[in-house]
Amino acid sequence: MAKRADARRNSDAVLEAAAAAFVAAGVEAPVRDIAARAGVGVGTVYRHFPTRADLVVAVYLHQIEACAEAGERLLTEGPTPFAALARWIDLFVDFLVTKHGLAAALRGDDPQFESLHSLFLERLLPVCTRLLAAARESGEVRTEIGPFALMFGVGNLCAGAGVPDYDARTLVSTLVAGLRA
């Protein structure tokens, strides 16, 4: 059964608010804080996501889908394929920073978490592959790095997010600049 438009909006608002709260305060951020950020009541959060695990998984899935869906749009709207790739990597970094904030919860024994990494690769690797191929075809990027290596490298650079005096975004932008042909 499809959700009503207002229920979808509330659910999306909760997911965005939860992602921001998880980055700021970790996955144990109080539900009342998430509800306040989303502009909804605590009951609305629990109606959509009865358990914290449900909320964590939903945030992760929501961000995978948003990142996956952005690829083709950025390629169409971007001034160049390289610009689209660079912008998508920025979105990927945003996702990874949130993902690292969810790491403790994602290591849980909950069966909901088991297939998330596979889904992550299944949805995002083809997007990176398409963007990198378009940038190569335009002659904007070097050819020796593959999409998996690029995503892995970005992921590793983002692993230090939250560590004092470490700026993952600057390091990733340096990596992206190094892709130029």
Side-chain angles (χ1 to χ4, degrees):
M1 177 180 208
K3 285 184 178 180
R4 293 184 338 245
D6 61 331
R8 264 193 319 275
R9 276 192 304 276
N10 285 344
S11 179
D12 288 346
V14 168
L15 292 172
E16 294 297 327
F22 292 165
V23 168
V27 295
E28 296 304 321
V31 171
R32 70 181 171 280
D33 293 353
I34 294 168
R37 281 178 188 249
V40 301
V42 172
T44 299
V45 176
Y46 285 117
R47 191 169 30 260
H48 290 283
F49 310 102
T51 69
R52 185 164 301 271
D54 293 330
L55 181 58
V56 170
V57 169
V59 166
Y60 192 81
L61 293 174
H62 180 71
Q63 291 190 317
I64 288 172
E65 289 307 313
C67 197
E69 291 170 2
E72 200 60 40
R73 178 181 46 79
L74 291 169
L75 197 53
T76 302
E77 295 172 0
T80 68
F82 180 79
L85 175 65
R87 180 65 190 117
W88 185 81
I89 289 175
D90 282 344
L91 294 174
F92 185 55
V93 168
D94 292 341
F95 166 74
L96 291 174
V97 168
T98 303
K99 177 182 175 285
H100 288 296
L102 304 176
L106 294 175
R107 286 191 198 113
D109 294 332
D110 193 308
Q112 294 183 78
F113 299 137
E114 291 177 11
S115 63
L116 289 178
H117 185 70
S118 295
L119 179 65
F120 165 82
L121 287 175
E122 179 182 303
R123 290 292 290 139
L124 298 183
L125 189 58
V127 177
C128 186
T129 299
R130 169 84 172 98
L131 289 164
L132 193 56
R136 277 192 186 122
E137 289 168 14
S138 71
E140 294 177 277
V141 298
R142 301 157 53 145
T143 60
E144 66 269 11
I145 188 166
F148 182 81
L150 177 58
M151 289 176 61
F152 192 80
V154 170
N156 281 335
L157 290 173
C158 290
V163 172
D165 297 326
Y166 184 85
D167 184 2
R169 194 166 296 283
T170 298
L171 291 170
V172 169
S173 68
T174 302
L175 170 66
V176 171
L179 291 173
R180 282 219 178 253

